[in-house]
Amino acid sequence: MTFDTKIAIVVRESLAPWQKLNVTAFLAGGLAEVYPEIVGERYCDGSGETYGPLVRQPILIFAGDGPDLSRTLKRARERGVAASIYTMELFTTYNDLDNRAAVAAVATDRLDLAGLAFHAERKAVDKIVKGLKLHA
């Protein structure tokens, strides 16, 4: 199935594996809140047990370094695509209030990005992630 939209997450390639997974999970959860239409229906198995829903379309995970992430955020902003962000400082905070304060303390062009995510029309996402490689 081909979707009219794409979901992309870009993760800093130098992070430890647990950090990459953590950043990806946080960002995907944020997208589900901002774009409820990407979430499918609850699942039910053959025994009648129910399970939570999943995102209804593939999520492409890209890797890049700090400048790649900054450039990608700039491209998203230039196209009016809202991004969810995770900064390096968030590895040192332990609650949502402190997370938001850590981001609020830094100007956009100085954010030390660990990852970002967005959902938009396919062509817009392709232009935003141009030059990045899928995470291996």
Side-chain angles (χ1 to χ4, degrees):
M1 172 175 219
T2 302
F3 294 92
D4 293 336
T5 61
K6 269 189 182 177
I7 301 170
I9 296 178
V10 185
V11 180
R12 188 182 286 224
E13 60 193 348
S14 63
L15 295 175
W18 73 266
Q19 291 174 312
K20 290 178 186 180
L21 293 171
N22 189 274
V23 168
T24 300
F26 272 106
L27 291 171
L31 287 177
E33 170 64 24
V34 174
Y35 304 100
E37 68 274 11
I38 69 172
V39 179
E41 299 293 323
R42 293 177 73 71
Y43 284 75
C44 182
D45 68 20
S47 300
E49 293 293 327
T50 59
Y51 305 94
L54 301 176
V55 172
R56 67 176 181 85
Q57 69 185 89
I59 300 174
L60 301 170
I61 313 294
F62 295 88
D65 59 17
D68 290 332
L69 272 72
S70 295
R71 183 179 60 251
T72 303
L73 177 60
K74 181 179 178 188
R75 288 177 180 169
R77 293 177 49 79
E78 289 170 350
R79 287 167 176 78
V81 174
S84 295
I85 64 169
Y86 194 104
T87 66
M88 295 299 288
E89 292 82 8
L90 301 188
F91 288 115
T92 65
T93 58
Y94 300 102
N95 63 71
D96 197 46
L97 184 64
D98 291 341
N99 288 352
R100 276 183 277 174
V103 172
V106 181
T108 305
D109 63 342
R110 299 183 66 80
L111 291 169
D112 191 9
L113 297 167
L116 60 126
F118 41 89
H119 170 253
E121 296 297 319
R122 295 178 65 79
K123 289 181 181 180
V125 172
D126 289 343
K127 289 177 182 177
I128 292 167
V129 300
K130 186 176 181 177
L132 295 176
K133 297 203 185 293
L134 286 171
H135 192 285

